[in-house]
């Protein structure tokens, strides 16, 4: 059984990344109030969270700034308004999607930015473009991670080639991303083995970003940490696209490093997340997400089902189970 | 890694037990409509479920029959009204609690009863009484399982003594019961090892009954099946006391034996479970259950919090974290 199986102890290299604004922003088009973001920053500080992801660096040529909240774009000044000089242990992260980020312009020199970590998100078929973004961000002075999305329907051989290319790049962390919430803990164990093989070879770290379609986001995350994965994504009240993510409150309850504290998370949920839900923002486990997870499909059909306030689950099942 | 890690295949000895009426009955005092119960029986038949637990054989001297629905008492005639002669592959189970069942009278000869399986529920400190019930039921001709409850706060030495005593009894199945939803998959792996050691020694099977306080009921159940646990409890829409149980729809989605079929489960949920929820019957994962699970406590305080429609999670946390 696993090294961390000594459940009474902890591994100091573990890092917790709060992805609430970024993955949660996919649910409400990033329309968070300033108070929400400010309080989330304070809650993360008190909870001992290691990184707070503020949102995306989305290309303003591609996305209309009037149709999204500001955290889809993460202007450095907007982050600065929240964190000031950020003389804290909580580091600032943003995500930059391959093909949807004007990184050469919008990601400035680290020395002029409140951002610490650039998270490059890519599919398997755009690894060279991801490497270009990684190199750019590294040269500018950032920590850089790379999220390889939707690996549950990738071929293992392709994944290994991608990890080898990324291993040779200056990226710091490879992320396992279960975009469809399709993976079981035993599969996570095997995937973590593969990632760690390349991480060890090239001196990188491994992270995990899970989705909760089968109520396994937390289980897969603690499986991964037991396998040697160090970077763990979580969100408050598991807020995130579709079925949501690994809940921060579950994760901090599990981790035994005394620097982590679940109480500020509970307080933030009571003060802010209940309100969001009452306002009609909808996310989290439900049958339609279970079905797309089980079928290893992108949840877009399930998200549409949710938006349409449908509950004819059997009809939905018949729609998604057949793929002509 | 595990034998079942070949996720493309299945182990034919696995049995699925639907505990919706029994554990779900704890949420609504067993007031299910006859239509609900009849349709659940048909759904289980179509889904390939192996056992359907109808409720408790509760002592009518102790519990007022006017204050509960009939499935708290599970008269043989009431079961017969649903299943007729039950010439099917779906077997009928009831639960009998140590100290709360007049088993000498209320459990009749198997040859006169529609019941196949008696599930004896006990705490660690009443094992001899459980053995008396097991022997009584065995003599009458039933299959018998024994659910050892609340093991997350039991001492390992005591548990082993209990398993040794039960091993020498005529019981067929030992059940791992995570009453508080406090256990993590790695702990389940260790507990399953212990149970299987005694099961192998005495020719018994092992089962698992999980609670969802930390969103781990499904994860713990599939961990257990990978460890060699054969009997798996689940409930439709995870209906059960407090945070509920392992969801049948998740479990049948995971199991690969072609005799299982998730579609009838989805259909039943659409037709019946949504209605129950709309009527105000409340169960399932929420922060208060996470907290009692994390603290390895009985969920009674969290159930009261839910009943009182409170959402002052921080106050609740302060109430439960201190135990004078």
């Amino acid at each position: 059984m696993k090294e961390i199986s000594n459940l009474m102890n902890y591994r100091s290299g573990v890092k917790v990344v709060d992805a609430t604004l970024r993955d949660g922003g996919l649910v409400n088009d990033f329309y968070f109030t300033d108070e929400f973001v400010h309080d989330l920053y304070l809650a993360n500080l008190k909870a001992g969270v290691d990184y707070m992801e503020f949102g995306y660096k989305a290309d303003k040529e591609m996305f209309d700034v009037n149709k999204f909240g500001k955290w889809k774009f993460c202007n450095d000044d907007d982050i600065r308004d929240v964190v000031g000089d950020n003389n804290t242990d909580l580091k600032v992260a943003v995500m930059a999607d391959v093909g949807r980020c004007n990184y050469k312009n919008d990601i400035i020199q680290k020395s002029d930015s409140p951002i610490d970590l650039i998270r490059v998100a890519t599919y398997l078929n755009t690894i060279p473009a991801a490497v270009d973004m990684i190199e750019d961000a590294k040269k500018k002075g950032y920590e850089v991670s790379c999220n390889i999305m939707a690996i549950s329907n990738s071929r293992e051989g392709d994944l290994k080639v991608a990890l080898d290319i990324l291993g040779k790049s200056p990226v710091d962390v490879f992320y396992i991303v279960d975009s469809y919430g399709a993976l079981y803990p035993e599969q996570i164990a095997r995937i973590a083995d593969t990632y760690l093989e390349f991480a060890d070879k090239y001196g990188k770290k491994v992270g995990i970003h899970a989705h909760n379609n089968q109520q396994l986001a937390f289980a897969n995350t603690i499986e991964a940490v037991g396998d040697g994965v160090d970077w763990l994504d979580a969100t408050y009240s598991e807020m995130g696209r579709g079925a949501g993510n690994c809940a921060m409150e579950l994760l901090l309850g599990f981790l035994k490093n005394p620097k982590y504290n679940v109480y500020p998370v509970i307080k933030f949920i009571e003060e802010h997340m209940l309100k969001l839900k009452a306002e009609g923002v909808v996310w989290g486990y439900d049958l339609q997400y279970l079905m797309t997870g089980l079928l290893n499909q992108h949840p877009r059909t399930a998200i549409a089902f949710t938006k349409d306030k449908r509950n004819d689950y059997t009809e939905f099942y018949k729609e998604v189970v057949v793929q002509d």
Side-chain angles (χ1 to χ4, degrees), chain A:
Chain A
M1 298 188 192
K2 304 179 189 106
E3 176 244 328
I4 203 171
S5 64
N6 182 345
L7 283 161
M8 304 297 283
N9 216 334
Y10 67 91
R11 197 165 72 228
S12 60
V14 167
K15 307 283 182 198
V16 173
V17 179
D18 167 37
T20 307
L21 293 181
R22 204 270 309 159
D23 213 318
L26 295 172
V27 180
N28 70 347
D29 289 338
F30 306 89
Y31 284 117
F32 296 102
T33 66
D34 289 348
E35 188 196 7
F36 183 101
V37 177
H38 179 257
D39 287 358
L40 183 61
Y41 174 70
L42 293 182
N44 279 327
L45 272 177
K46 289 178 192 159
V49 166
D50 299 281
Y51 289 81
M52 174 168 168
E53 189 180 36
F54 275 74
Y56 287 95
K57 277 275 187 196
D59 188 343
K60 290 170 192 161
E61 297 280 319
M62 295 179 71
F63 299 98
D64 184 344
V65 294
N66 298 310
K67 289 191 177 158
F68 298 94
K70 58 188 164 189
W71 304 109
K72 187 170 176 80
F73 304 98
C74 283
N75 294 326
D76 286 57
D77 288 346
D78 289 331
I79 296 174
R80 189 80 76 187
D81 285 346
V82 179
V83 307
D85 290 335
N86 193 31
N87 291 319
T88 74
D89 291 332
L90 175 61
K91 292 186 178 180
V92 172
V94 296
M95 184 162 276
D97 280 347
V98 165
R100 292 190 287 189
C101 175
N102 184 5
Y103 56 100
K104 305 232 187 232
N105 287 314
D106 290 346
I107 296 177
I108 61 174
Q109 291 292 323
K110 160 77 194 102
S111 52
D112 300 322
S113 170
I115 299 167
D116 300 287
L117 168 69
I118 304 291
R119 310 219 300 168
V120 175
T122 180
Y123 290 100
L124 264 187
N125 63 334
T126 53
I127 294 291
V131 170
D132 197 57
M133 292 172 71
I134 290 163
E135 288 174 347
D136 179 78
K138 258 298 166 192
K139 269 187 215 139
K140 288 170 177 165
Y142 295 95
E143 291 182 86
V144 187
S145 67
C146 184
N147 286 27
I148 312 174
M149 298 185 289
I151 56 164
S152 59
N153 62 5
S154 68
R155 300 167 72 95
E156 203 181 11
D158 294 343
L159 186 59
K160 286 184 178 179
V161 172
L163 291 170
D164 200 58
I165 295 172
L166 289 172
K168 291 169 185 155
S169 85
V171 77
D172 301 295
V173 189
F174 305 143
Y175 255 82
I176 300 166
V177 185
D178 181 16
S179 302
Y180 302 163
L183 296 169
Y184 296 107
E186 291 212 31
Q187 293 172 295
I188 293 292
R190 280 161 183 72
I191 291 165
D193 264 12
T194 302
Y195 272 66
L196 285 162
E197 177 195 331
F198 288 91
D200 291 346
K201 180 174 172 188
Y202 291 110
K204 314 293 190 186
K205 295 291 181 185
V206 178
I208 183 164
H209 179 86
H211 277 272
N212 208 31
N213 296 59
Q214 300 191 76
Q215 290 192 16
L216 290 172
F218 174 53
N220 283 339
T221 302
I222 64 178
E223 167 65 41
V225 74
D227 298 328
V229 170
D230 276 331
W231 289 56
L232 313 176
D233 283 15
T235 64
Y236 286 60
S237 294
E238 65 209 43
M239 185 182 189
R241 198 194 54 188
N245 301 112
C246 172
M248 181 67 78
E249 55 275 24
L250 288 167
L251 185 60
L252 293 194
F254 172 81
L255 295 172
K256 294 290 178 285
N257 188 330
K259 80 173 186 173
Y260 296 125
N261 182 7
V262 75
Y263 184 79
V265 179
I266 294 169
K267 189 156 184 286
F268 184 87
I269 291 171
E270 183 179 320
E271 290 176 359
H272 288 285
M273 302 309 283
L274 295 181
K275 211 188 299 172
L276 270 194
K277 291 212 165 186
E279 287 165 5
V281 184
V282 179
W283 71 90
Y285 170 81
D286 202 345
L287 276 191
Q288 63 274 30
Y289 297 115
L290 157 59
M291 294 182 217
T292 59
L294 199 55
L295 297 167
N296 195 11
Q297 293 177 8
H298 192 286
R300 64 175 68 86
T301 51
I303 291 169
F305 179 93
T306 309
K307 270 204 175 144
D308 293 345
K309 301 190 178 175
R310 289 173 59 183
N311 56 19
D312 53 334
Y313 296 116
T314 49
E315 282 308 308
F316 181 74
Y317 185 78
K318 286 184 270 183
E319 288 165 23
V320 291
V321 80
V322 179
Q323 296 206 294
D324 296 322

